[in-house]
Amino acid sequence: MRTAIQLYTLRALDESLDQLVARVASTPLDGVEFAYESMNSPTDVASTLASHDLELANFSASVETLETDEAALAEACETLDCETVVLPYLDPSYFDSRDRVEATADLLSGFARTLDSHGLRFLYHNHAHEFADVDGEVAFDVLLDRVDDRVEFELDLGWVGTAGEDPYARLEALGDRVPSIHVKDMYFATGEFASLGDGDLDASQAMRIAQAQGVEWAIFEHDEPADPVVELENGASRLVNAVERVNSR
């Protein structure tokens, strides 16, 4: 299991991609995850990552990109030797009724089939609203019942906990459909973001389950860091330590 940071965590820093990647390279993390829409040249990104000996864990891409620009997205993935695309967000309206959840499942299934034709995997990244009640069922369960098996998930453990769910049980139940997780610490009762290790997420427990489930990437993210540099250093250290403790058993 490799470790990375979602560069959204560092968005407040007025730095070039090379400077941001250099910061990550100074930590023990293995890679980065960032948005396709924030990239200028796939060739330049590939060169930057290679020069700092880091991998691209996944691309995230908006629903608009997936609907209109999948060929260019696939070409960028080939240039960057990246096989996984993540849809990072759909707003709550996509999950506010059973009919809407089923339509969302069909939408995601279409993306998965299209990307599969390019030799790419498709993951959906959750927030809390996917676990809302729709007609007496959890929206996420309705989604799972209908969605194509090619749809996989980047399970954000912090948001699962904030939704009132057990993040460790959800991770375990999804089995091999979770190639990546977001290790995001939060105070579950309030939905506030926390430095990794300070909130309600038990990173060690999460890493034990993730390792057993065959998760490939554990990705640190903090949505609202007061000091992005401090959060990078703290998150990298604590995440890598949690993974190493699991590996040493």
Side-chain angles (χ1 to χ4, degrees), residues 11-190:
R11 68 193 182 281
L13 298 177
D14 185 18
E15 297 181 348
S16 67
L17 178 63
D18 184 73
Q19 290 171 313
L20 294 175
V21 170
R23 283 192 182 277
V24 177
S26 70
T27 75
L29 294 172
D30 300 308
V32 299
E33 178 183 61
F34 63 94
Y36 168 79
E37 292 81 10
S38 68
M39 177 190 63
N40 292 321
S41 162
T43 303
D44 289 347
V45 173
S47 175
T48 298
L49 292 174
S51 69
H52 293 289
D53 196 27
L54 289 174
E55 298 178 64
L56 178 60
N58 308 309
F59 258 147
S60 62
S62 69
V63 66
E64 292 79 15
T65 293
L66 288 162
E67 287 177 330
T68 64
D69 208 17
E70 77 278 353
L73 175 62
E75 185 177 343
C77 286
E78 183 176 1
T79 299
L80 285 154
D81 194 26
C82 177
E83 65 177 16
T84 306
V85 175
V86 181
L87 175 58
Y89 181 74
L90 288 174
D91 71 57
S93 69
Y94 284 81
F95 301 92
D96 63 7
S97 71
R98 186 181 184 89
D99 287 346
R100 281 291 278 153
V101 175
E102 290 180 348
T104 298
D106 294 342
L107 178 71
L108 300 183
S109 297
F111 292 152
R113 287 191 291 269
T114 298
L115 290 172
D116 183 58
S117 72
H118 292 284
L120 298 170
R121 296 188 301 186
F122 173 70
L123 278 57
Y124 179 69
H125 174 280
N126 66 279
H127 288 72
H129 52 262
E130 291 86 352
F131 299 92
D133 179 272
V134 289
D135 301 329
E137 293 185 77
V138 176
F140 192 79
D141 291 331
V142 176
L143 183 79
L144 282 175
D145 285 344
R146 186 175 178 100
V147 79
D148 191 291
D149 289 344
R150 281 169 285 195
V151 175
E152 298 179 277
F153 297 92
E154 180 173 72
L155 197 67
D156 190 306
L157 302 175
W159 282 122
V160 174
T162 298
E165 294 261 337
D166 181 331
Y168 321 107
R170 274 290 174 184
L171 176 58
E172 203 161 26
L174 285 167
D176 61 3
R177 293 183 73 176
V178 186
S180 297
I181 57 174
H182 268 199
V183 186
K184 178 182 295 171
D185 209 348
M186 301 180 74
Y187 299 105
F188 294 162
T190 64

